[in-house]
Amino acid sequence: SAVISQKPSRDICQRGTSLTIQCQVDSQVTMMFWYRQQPGQSLTLIATANQGSEATYESGFVIDKFPISRPNLTFSTLTVSNMSPEDSSIYLCSVGRDEKLFFGSGTQLSVL
Amino acid sequence: GNSVTQMEGPVTLSEEAFLTINCTYTATGYPSLFWYVQYPGEGLQLLLKATKADDKGSNKGFEATYRKETTSFHLEKGSVQVSDSAVYFCALSDLSGGSYIPTFGRGTSLIVHP
């Protein structure tokens, strides 16, 4: 298994500002994933973060809006930049092991 | 491409009632199938999985059988409890596509009343 600590757990932000979400894993993992979960919607993969290389973004998500850092094998950050109310959502980090995904508890973001 | 379709919620039941949450899938290869559960205020947790046809995954009284002929993986529990109230996500991962990153359904909210 994997224990994932994600913070902040929630935040309320003003339009035009940026928020950085941190994700810490209790063991080394090759790939970390960032998801967005909007109310009543499925989980949408934003990007895959590999240590030592640039993140791979899914269709509809760009690095300028969602820059990701992966400085080592146990840590990653996702920044939501220049926020608008449409960015209000839950953001989840996740790691894969043995074909299973383990998730952090999520960051509930509200943009006013 | 791969997709997962779940029944819409919320599903509202009384305690000790029988639960079924339907899930069907479309996949080009031979996927593994999963149910994840998200309790209020928490991240998703793996509930059970099945990796091949006719496999039955089970955990905490929940069961789901991988039915290739009907491309389904319905979640069942014989007697639900208030503590089962959560959002349940069906997912598949298709290694033949080169990645095990799952495809998720929309989630089905379950509300159990005492």
Side-chain angles (χ1 to χ4, degrees):
Chain A
S1 67
V3 177
I4 303 171
S5 300
Q6 185 176 339
K7 58 181 182 182
S9 58
R10 61 178 64 236
D11 207 341
I12 300 172
C13 300
Q14 296 296 319
R15 183 194 298 259
T17 63
S18 298
L19 175 72
T20 296
I21 303 167
Q22 298 181 5
C23 183
Q24 178 77 51
V25 189
D26 67 340
S27 56
Q28 293 184 343
V29 291
T30 304
M31 290 196 290
M32 295 177 74
F33 307 102
W34 287 98
Y35 283 88
R36 183 170 71 184
Q37 182 183 13
Q38 293 179 305
Q41 302 289 320
S42 180
L43 278 72
T44 302
L45 182 64
I46 297 171
T48 302
N50 298 318
Q51 194 268 334
S53 63
E54 289 223 348
T56 303
Y57 288 83
E58 299 298 307
S59 174
F61 298 96
V62 295
I63 188 171
D64 289 346
K65 175 67 176 176
F66 296 100
I68 288 171
S69 79
R70 184 78 202 276
N72 57 54
L73 290 173
T74 63
F75 187 78
S76 178
T77 68
L78 169 76
T79 299
V80 187
S81 302
N82 188 26
M83 288 184 284
S84 67
E86 291 71 35
D87 295 320
S88 297
S89 188
I90 297 174
Y91 293 84
L92 295 159
C93 75
S94 174
V95 303
R97 183 163 291 156
D98 300 328
E99 211 190 353
K100 296 188 284 275
L101 285 185
F102 298 90
F103 288 85
S105 55
T107 297
Q108 184 160 351
L109 171 62
S110 299
V111 184
L112 304 178
Chain B
N2 297 334
S3 67
V4 175
T5 303
Q6 285 181 240
M7 63 187 290
E8 289 204 21
V11 174
T12 304
L13 296 173
S14 298
E15 206 164 24
E16 299 183 3
F18 184 86
L19 168 72
T20 301
I21 300 178
N22 290 338
C23 171
T24 58
Y25 68 89
T26 302
T28 52
Y30 300 93
S32 295
L33 301 174
F34 307 83
W35 278 99
Y36 285 84
V37 58
Q38 185 178 32
Y39 297 104
E42 299 183 15
L44 278 74
Q45 306 171 24
L46 179 66
L47 180 60
L48 54 84
K49 66 179 280 192
T51 57
K52 61 183 187 298
D54 300 324
D55 266 3
K56 178 186 285 187
S58 61
N59 186 25
K60 299 181 181 180
F62 291 89
E63 292 182 340
T65 301
Y66 189 144
R67 301 285 187 202
K68 189 169 171 59
E69 64 276 14
T70 54
T71 62
S72 65
F73 193 55
H74 304 321
L75 182 69
E76 297 181 336
K77 186 174 186 181
S79 175
V80 293
Q81 306 300 311
V82 172
S83 58
D84 294 325
S85 298
V87 181
Y88 292 82
F89 292 87
C90 186
L92 72 82
S93 115
D94 183 0
L95 287 175
S96 66
S99 168
Y100 67 82
I101 301 172
T103 300
F104 286 89
R106 285 177 169 259
T108 302
S109 175
L110 170 64
I111 302 168
V112 181
H113 294 294

Short mmCIF file of all heavy atoms in Angstrom, two decimals, chain A residues 31 33 35 37 40-43 45 48 58 90 92 95-106, chain B residues 31-32 34 36 38 41-46 49 51 87 89 93-95 100-102 104-107:
data_model
loop_
_atom_site.label_atom_id
_atom_site.label_comp_id
_atom_site.label_asym_id
_atom_site.label_seq_id
_atom_site.Cartn_x
_atom_site.Cartn_y
_atom_site.Cartn_z
N MET A 31 5.81 7.02 -10.64
CA MET A 31 4.84 7.94 -11.23
C MET A 31 3.83 8.42 -10.18
O MET A 31 3.36 7.64 -9.35
CB MET A 31 4.08 7.26 -12.37
CG MET A 31 4.94 6.99 -13.60
SD MET A 31 3.96 6.64 -15.06
CE MET A 31 3.32 5.02 -14.62
N PHE A 33 0.22 10.89 -10.02
CA PHE A 33 -0.83 11.38 -10.90
C PHE A 33 -1.62 12.48 -10.19
O PHE A 33 -1.85 12.42 -8.98
CB PHE A 33 -1.79 10.24 -11.26
CG PHE A 33 -1.11 9.03 -11.81
CD1 PHE A 33 -0.90 7.92 -11.00
CD2 PHE A 33 -0.68 8.98 -13.11
CE1 PHE A 33 -0.27 6.79 -11.48
CE2 PHE A 33 -0.04 7.86 -13.61
CZ PHE A 33 0.17 6.77 -12.80
N TYR A 35 -5.35 14.37 -10.36
CA TYR A 35 -6.70 14.28 -10.89
C TYR A 35 -7.51 15.49 -10.45
O TYR A 35 -7.25 16.09 -9.40
CB TYR A 35 -7.42 13.03 -10.35
CG TYR A 35 -7.01 11.73 -10.98
CD1 TYR A 35 -5.94 11.00 -10.48
CD2 TYR A 35 -7.73 11.21 -12.06
CE1 TYR A 35 -5.59 9.79 -11.05
CE2 TYR A 35 -7.39 9.99 -12.62
CZ TYR A 35 -6.32 9.29 -12.11
OH TYR A 35 -5.97 8.09 -12.67
N GLN A 37 -11.62 16.37 -9.67
CA GLN A 37 -12.93 15.76 -9.46
C GLN A 37 -13.94 16.88 -9.29
O GLN A 37 -13.98 17.53 -8.25
CB GLN A 37 -12.91 14.86 -8.22
CG GLN A 37 -14.21 14.15 -7.97
CD GLN A 37 -14.20 13.33 -6.70
OE1 GLN A 37 -13.31 13.46 -5.87
NE2 GLN A 37 -15.18 12.49 -6.52
N GLY A 40 -20.35 15.78 -9.23
CA GLY A 40 -21.17 14.97 -10.13
C GLY A 40 -20.44 14.45 -11.34
O GLY A 40 -21.06 13.85 -12.23
N GLN A 41 -19.14 14.65 -11.39
CA GLN A 41 -18.36 14.20 -12.55
C GLN A 41 -17.39 13.10 -12.14
O GLN A 41 -17.09 12.93 -10.96
CB GLN A 41 -17.55 15.38 -13.13
CG GLN A 41 -18.39 16.56 -13.55
CD GLN A 41 -19.20 16.29 -14.78
OE1 GLN A 41 -18.73 15.64 -15.72
NE2 GLN A 41 -20.44 16.75 -14.80
N SER A 42 -16.91 12.42 -13.15
CA SER A 42 -15.88 11.42 -12.89
C SER A 42 -14.55 12.10 -12.59
O SER A 42 -14.41 13.31 -12.72
CB SER A 42 -15.75 10.53 -14.11
OG SER A 42 -14.76 9.56 -13.90
N LEU A 43 -13.59 11.30 -12.21
CA LEU A 43 -12.24 11.82 -12.03
C LEU A 43 -11.62 12.05 -13.40
O LEU A 43 -11.70 11.20 -14.29
CB LEU A 43 -11.37 10.83 -11.27
CG LEU A 43 -11.49 10.84 -9.76
CD1 LEU A 43 -12.80 10.24 -9.32
CD2 LEU A 43 -10.33 10.11 -9.13
N LEU A 45 -8.04 12.89 -15.27
CA LEU A 45 -6.60 12.94 -15.11
C LEU A 45 -6.07 14.24 -15.70
O LEU A 45 -6.32 14.54 -16.86
CB LEU A 45 -5.95 11.74 -15.79
CG LEU A 45 -4.44 11.61 -15.66
CD1 LEU A 45 -4.03 11.41 -14.20
CD2 LEU A 45 -3.92 10.46 -16.52
N THR A 48 0.51 13.29 -15.50
CA THR A 48 1.35 12.29 -14.85
C THR A 48 2.70 12.93 -14.57
O THR A 48 3.31 13.51 -15.48
CB THR A 48 1.53 11.07 -15.76
OG1 THR A 48 0.25 10.53 -16.05
CG2 THR A 48 2.38 10.01 -15.07
N GLU A 58 -2.65 15.67 -19.96
CA GLU A 58 -3.74 15.13 -20.74
C GLU A 58 -4.37 16.24 -21.58
O GLU A 58 -4.17 17.43 -21.33
CB GLU A 58 -4.79 14.51 -19.83
CG GLU A 58 -4.26 13.35 -18.99
CD GLU A 58 -3.78 12.19 -19.85
OE1 GLU A 58 -4.56 11.72 -20.70
OE2 GLU A 58 -2.62 11.76 -19.66
N ILE A 90 -12.31 19.52 -6.61
CA ILE A 90 -11.43 18.77 -5.72
C ILE A 90 -10.26 18.27 -6.55
O ILE A 90 -10.44 17.71 -7.63
CB ILE A 90 -12.17 17.58 -5.07
CG1 ILE A 90 -13.31 18.08 -4.19
CG2 ILE A 90 -11.19 16.73 -4.25
CD1 ILE A 90 -14.18 16.97 -3.64
N LEU A 92 -6.92 15.80 -6.58
CA LEU A 92 -6.42 14.60 -5.90
C LEU A 92 -5.08 14.20 -6.48
O LEU A 92 -4.90 14.17 -7.70
CB LEU A 92 -7.40 13.44 -6.11
CG LEU A 92 -8.79 13.57 -5.50
CD1 LEU A 92 -9.78 12.66 -6.19
CD2 LEU A 92 -8.73 13.22 -4.02
N VAL A 95 -0.88 7.69 -6.51
CA VAL A 95 0.26 6.91 -6.96
C VAL A 95 -0.23 5.52 -7.33
O VAL A 95 -1.25 5.05 -6.81
CB VAL A 95 1.35 6.82 -5.88
CG1 VAL A 95 1.80 8.20 -5.47
CG2 VAL A 95 0.91 6.01 -4.68
N GLY A 96 0.49 4.87 -8.22
CA GLY A 96 0.12 3.54 -8.65
C GLY A 96 1.07 2.49 -8.11
O GLY A 96 2.27 2.74 -8.03
N ARG A 97 0.54 1.37 -7.72
CA ARG A 97 1.36 0.25 -7.27
C ARG A 97 0.58 -1.03 -7.50
O ARG A 97 -0.57 -1.14 -7.10
CB ARG A 97 1.72 0.41 -5.80
CG ARG A 97 2.65 -0.66 -5.25
CD ARG A 97 3.28 -0.22 -3.95
NE ARG A 97 4.23 0.85 -4.17
CZ ARG A 97 4.58 1.74 -3.24
NH1 ARG A 97 4.05 1.68 -2.05
NH2 ARG A 97 5.45 2.68 -3.50
N ASP A 98 1.21 -2.00 -8.18
CA ASP A 98 0.56 -3.29 -8.45
C ASP A 98 -0.79 -3.10 -9.12
O ASP A 98 -1.78 -3.75 -8.76
CB ASP A 98 0.38 -4.09 -7.15
CG ASP A 98 1.69 -4.39 -6.47
OD1 ASP A 98 2.70 -4.55 -7.19
OD2 ASP A 98 1.73 -4.44 -5.23
N GLU A 99 -0.83 -2.22 -10.07
CA GLU A 99 -2.03 -1.96 -10.87
C GLU A 99 -3.16 -1.34 -10.05
O GLU A 99 -4.29 -1.26 -10.51
CB GLU A 99 -2.53 -3.23 -11.58
CG GLU A 99 -3.21 -2.93 -12.90
CD GLU A 99 -3.92 -4.14 -13.49
OE1 GLU A 99 -3.78 -5.25 -12.95
OE2 GLU A 99 -4.63 -3.96 -14.48
N LYS A 100 -2.87 -0.93 -8.83
CA LYS A 100 -3.89 -0.23 -8.02
C LYS A 100 -3.45 1.21 -7.84
O LYS A 100 -2.27 1.52 -7.86
CB LYS A 100 -4.01 -0.89 -6.65
CG LYS A 100 -4.52 -2.32 -6.70
CD LYS A 100 -4.81 -2.85 -5.31
CE LYS A 100 -3.56 -3.20 -4.55
NZ LYS A 100 -3.12 -4.58 -4.86
N LEU A 101 -4.43 2.07 -7.66
CA LEU A 101 -4.16 3.47 -7.37
C LEU A 101 -4.44 3.75 -5.90
O LEU A 101 -5.42 3.26 -5.34
CB LEU A 101 -5.03 4.39 -8.22
CG LEU A 101 -4.66 4.56 -9.69
CD1 LEU A 101 -5.57 5.60 -10.32
CD2 LEU A 101 -3.22 4.95 -9.87
N PHE A 102 -3.56 4.53 -5.29
CA PHE A 102 -3.77 5.01 -3.92
C PHE A 102 -3.88 6.53 -3.98
O PHE A 102 -3.09 7.18 -4.68
CB PHE A 102 -2.61 4.57 -3.03
CG PHE A 102 -2.47 3.08 -2.94
CD1 PHE A 102 -1.67 2.39 -3.84
CD2 PHE A 102 -3.15 2.37 -1.97
CE1 PHE A 102 -1.55 1.01 -3.79
CE2 PHE A 102 -3.04 0.98 -1.90
CZ PHE A 102 -2.25 0.31 -2.82
N PHE A 103 -4.83 7.07 -3.24
CA PHE A 103 -5.15 8.48 -3.35
C PHE A 103 -4.88 9.24 -2.05
O PHE A 103 -5.04 8.70 -0.96
CB PHE A 103 -6.63 8.67 -3.70
CG PHE A 103 -6.98 8.29 -5.11
CD1 PHE A 103 -7.27 6.98 -5.44
CD2 PHE A 103 -7.02 9.25 -6.11
CE1 PHE A 103 -7.59 6.63 -6.73
CE2 PHE A 103 -7.35 8.91 -7.40
CZ PHE A 103 -7.63 7.60 -7.71
N GLY A 104 -4.50 10.50 -2.22
CA GLY A 104 -4.53 11.42 -1.10
C GLY A 104 -5.97 11.78 -0.79
O GLY A 104 -6.90 11.43 -1.52
N SER A 105 -6.16 12.52 0.30
CA SER A 105 -7.51 12.85 0.75
C SER A 105 -8.12 14.00 -0.03
O SER A 105 -9.29 14.32 0.13
CB SER A 105 -7.52 13.16 2.24
OG SER A 105 -6.58 14.18 2.52
N GLY A 106 -7.33 14.64 -0.89
CA GLY A 106 -7.89 15.65 -1.76
C GLY A 106 -7.78 17.06 -1.22
O GLY A 106 -7.66 17.28 -0.01
N PRO B 31 -9.33 -5.84 -19.86
CA PRO B 31 -9.03 -4.95 -18.72
C PRO B 31 -9.14 -5.64 -17.37
O PRO B 31 -9.78 -6.69 -17.24
CB PRO B 31 -10.11 -3.88 -18.84
CG PRO B 31 -11.28 -4.59 -19.45
CD PRO B 31 -10.66 -5.58 -20.42
N SER B 32 -8.53 -5.04 -16.39
CA SER B 32 -8.84 -5.32 -15.00
C SER B 32 -9.92 -4.33 -14.56
O SER B 32 -9.97 -3.20 -15.05
CB SER B 32 -7.60 -5.14 -14.12
OG SER B 32 -6.61 -6.09 -14.45
N PHE B 34 -12.24 -2.51 -11.32
CA PHE B 34 -12.08 -2.08 -9.95
C PHE B 34 -13.35 -1.37 -9.46
O PHE B 34 -14.08 -0.78 -10.24
CB PHE B 34 -10.93 -1.05 -9.82
CG PHE B 34 -9.63 -1.49 -10.41
CD1 PHE B 34 -9.36 -1.37 -11.76
CD2 PHE B 34 -8.64 -2.02 -9.59
CE1 PHE B 34 -8.14 -1.77 -12.30
CE2 PHE B 34 -7.42 -2.43 -10.11
CZ PHE B 34 -7.18 -2.30 -11.47
N TYR B 36 -13.77 1.57 -6.51
CA TYR B 36 -13.19 2.44 -5.50
C TYR B 36 -14.32 3.08 -4.70
O TYR B 36 -15.42 3.31 -5.22
CB TYR B 36 -12.36 3.56 -6.16
CG TYR B 36 -11.02 3.10 -6.70
CD1 TYR B 36 -10.92 2.53 -7.96
CD2 TYR B 36 -9.86 3.25 -5.95
CE1 TYR B 36 -9.69 2.12 -8.45
CE2 TYR B 36 -8.63 2.85 -6.43
CZ TYR B 36 -8.55 2.28 -7.69
OH TYR B 36 -7.33 1.87 -8.17
N GLN B 38 -15.27 6.36 -1.95
CA GLN B 38 -14.84 7.64 -1.40
C GLN B 38 -15.79 8.03 -0.28
O GLN B 38 -16.94 8.42 -0.54
CB GLN B 38 -14.82 8.71 -2.48
CG GLN B 38 -14.26 10.06 -2.01
CD GLN B 38 -14.23 11.08 -3.13
OE1 GLN B 38 -15.07 11.07 -4.03
NE2 GLN B 38 -13.26 11.98 -3.08
N GLY B 41 -15.27 13.48 2.78
CA GLY B 41 -14.08 14.18 3.23
C GLY B 41 -12.79 13.42 3.04
O GLY B 41 -11.73 13.85 3.53
N GLU B 42 -12.83 12.30 2.34
CA GLU B 42 -11.62 11.49 2.16
C GLU B 42 -11.31 11.27 0.69
O GLU B 42 -12.14 11.54 -0.18
CB GLU B 42 -11.79 10.13 2.86
CG GLU B 42 -12.03 10.24 4.35
CD GLU B 42 -12.12 8.87 5.01
OE1 GLU B 42 -11.74 7.86 4.37
OE2 GLU B 42 -12.58 8.81 6.16
N GLY B 43 -10.12 10.77 0.42
CA GLY B 43 -9.76 10.39 -0.94
C GLY B 43 -10.34 9.03 -1.27
O GLY B 43 -10.98 8.38 -0.45
N LEU B 44 -10.13 8.61 -2.51
CA LEU B 44 -10.64 7.31 -2.94
C LEU B 44 -9.81 6.18 -2.35
O LEU B 44 -8.59 6.30 -2.19
CB LEU B 44 -10.60 7.20 -4.47
CG LEU B 44 -11.74 7.84 -5.24
CD1 LEU B 44 -11.60 9.34 -5.25
CD2 LEU B 44 -11.78 7.29 -6.66
N GLN B 45 -10.48 5.07 -2.07
CA GLN B 45 -9.79 3.87 -1.61
C GLN B 45 -10.24 2.71 -2.50
O GLN B 45 -11.41 2.64 -2.86
CB GLN B 45 -10.18 3.51 -0.17
CG GLN B 45 -10.01 4.58 0.85
CD GLN B 45 -10.63 4.17 2.17
OE1 GLN B 45 -10.79 2.99 2.47
NE2 GLN B 45 -11.00 5.15 2.97
N LEU B 46 -9.31 1.82 -2.80
CA LEU B 46 -9.68 0.63 -3.54
C LEU B 46 -10.57 -0.25 -2.67
O LEU B 46 -10.21 -0.59 -1.54
CB LEU B 46 -8.44 -0.14 -3.97
CG LEU B 46 -8.70 -1.42 -4.74
CD1 LEU B 46 -9.34 -1.11 -6.09
CD2 LEU B 46 -7.41 -2.21 -4.93
N LYS B 49 -11.23 -5.64 -6.60
CA LYS B 49 -10.82 -5.70 -7.99
C LYS B 49 -10.99 -7.11 -8.53
O LYS B 49 -11.09 -8.08 -7.76
CB LYS B 49 -9.36 -5.27 -8.15
CG LYS B 49 -8.36 -6.21 -7.49
CD LYS B 49 -6.91 -5.75 -7.70
CE LYS B 49 -6.38 -6.14 -9.05
NZ LYS B 49 -4.91 -5.96 -9.17
N THR B 51 -9.41 -9.34 -12.10
CA THR B 51 -8.46 -9.17 -13.20
C THR B 51 -8.80 -9.98 -14.44
O THR B 51 -8.21 -9.75 -15.51
CB THR B 51 -7.04 -9.54 -12.75
OG1 THR B 51 -7.06 -10.89 -12.27
CG2 THR B 51 -6.56 -8.62 -11.66
N VAL B 87 -19.46 7.55 -1.95
CA VAL B 87 -19.55 7.56 -3.41
C VAL B 87 -18.71 6.39 -3.93
O VAL B 87 -17.56 6.22 -3.51
CB VAL B 87 -19.06 8.89 -4.01
CG1 VAL B 87 -19.19 8.86 -5.53
CG2 VAL B 87 -19.84 10.06 -3.44
N PHE B 89 -17.04 4.36 -7.18
CA PHE B 89 -16.55 4.55 -8.54
C PHE B 89 -16.14 3.21 -9.14
O PHE B 89 -15.34 2.48 -8.56
CB PHE B 89 -15.32 5.47 -8.57
CG PHE B 89 -15.59 6.90 -8.21
CD1 PHE B 89 -15.56 7.31 -6.89
CD2 PHE B 89 -15.88 7.83 -9.20
CE1 PHE B 89 -15.81 8.64 -6.55
CE2 PHE B 89 -16.13 9.15 -8.86
CZ PHE B 89 -16.10 9.56 -7.54
N SER B 93 -8.76 -0.75 -15.97
CA SER B 93 -7.43 -0.44 -16.43
C SER B 93 -7.04 -1.51 -17.42
O SER B 93 -7.22 -2.70 -17.17
CB SER B 93 -6.48 -0.32 -15.25
OG SER B 93 -5.54 -1.28 -15.24
N ASP B 94 -6.54 -1.05 -18.57
CA ASP B 94 -6.30 -1.94 -19.69
C ASP B 94 -4.81 -1.92 -20.00
O ASP B 94 -4.33 -1.02 -20.67
CB ASP B 94 -7.12 -1.45 -20.89
CG ASP B 94 -6.98 -2.35 -22.09
OD1 ASP B 94 -6.24 -3.36 -22.00
OD2 ASP B 94 -7.60 -2.05 -23.12
N LEU B 95 -4.10 -2.90 -19.51
CA LEU B 95 -2.66 -2.92 -19.69
C LEU B 95 -2.27 -3.09 -21.15
O LEU B 95 -1.19 -2.68 -21.55
CB LEU B 95 -2.03 -4.04 -18.86
CG LEU B 95 -1.99 -3.80 -17.35
CD1 LEU B 95 -1.46 -5.02 -16.63
CD2 LEU B 95 -1.11 -2.59 -17.05
N TYR B 100 -1.52 1.50 -17.14
CA TYR B 100 -2.51 1.00 -16.20
C TYR B 100 -3.31 2.12 -15.56
O TYR B 100 -4.07 1.88 -14.64
CB TYR B 100 -1.84 0.15 -15.12
CG TYR B 100 -0.94 0.90 -14.18
CD1 TYR B 100 -1.46 1.60 -13.09
CD2 TYR B 100 0.43 0.91 -14.37
CE1 TYR B 100 -0.63 2.29 -12.24
CE2 TYR B 100 1.26 1.60 -13.52
CZ TYR B 100 0.72 2.28 -12.45
OH TYR B 100 1.54 2.96 -11.60
N ILE B 101 -3.14 3.35 -16.05
CA ILE B 101 -3.92 4.45 -15.48
C ILE B 101 -5.39 4.17 -15.73
O ILE B 101 -5.83 4.02 -16.87
CB ILE B 101 -3.52 5.78 -16.12
CG1 ILE B 101 -2.03 6.04 -15.88
CG2 ILE B 101 -4.36 6.90 -15.54
CD1 ILE B 101 -1.52 7.24 -16.63
N PRO B 102 -6.19 4.08 -14.66
CA PRO B 102 -7.58 3.67 -14.84
C PRO B 102 -8.45 4.71 -15.52
O PRO B 102 -8.18 5.90 -15.46
CB PRO B 102 -8.06 3.44 -13.40
CG PRO B 102 -6.85 3.33 -12.58
CD PRO B 102 -5.83 4.18 -13.25
N PHE B 104 -12.24 5.98 -15.10
CA PHE B 104 -13.25 5.96 -14.05
C PHE B 104 -14.64 6.24 -14.59
O PHE B 104 -14.81 7.00 -15.55
CB PHE B 104 -12.93 7.02 -12.98
CG PHE B 104 -11.78 6.67 -12.10
CD1 PHE B 104 -10.48 7.01 -12.45
CD2 PHE B 104 -11.99 5.99 -10.91
CE1 PHE B 104 -9.42 6.68 -11.62
CE2 PHE B 104 -10.93 5.66 -10.08
CZ PHE B 104 -9.64 6.01 -10.44
N GLY B 105 -15.64 5.64 -13.94
CA GLY B 105 -17.01 6.06 -14.15
C GLY B 105 -17.29 7.34 -13.38
O GLY B 105 -16.42 7.87 -12.69
N ARG B 106 -18.54 7.83 -13.50
CA ARG B 106 -18.89 9.11 -12.89
C ARG B 106 -19.08 9.03 -11.38
O ARG B 106 -19.19 10.06 -10.71
CB ARG B 106 -20.18 9.64 -13.51
CG ARG B 106 -20.00 10.20 -14.88
CD ARG B 106 -21.34 10.63 -15.46
NE ARG B 106 -21.15 11.40 -16.68
CZ ARG B 106 -21.20 12.72 -16.75
NH1 ARG B 106 -21.49 13.41 -15.68
NH2 ARG B 106 -21.00 13.34 -17.88
N GLY B 107 -19.18 7.85 -10.86
CA GLY B 107 -19.43 7.71 -9.43
C GLY B 107 -20.92 7.63 -9.13
O GLY B 107 -21.74 8.26 -9.80
#
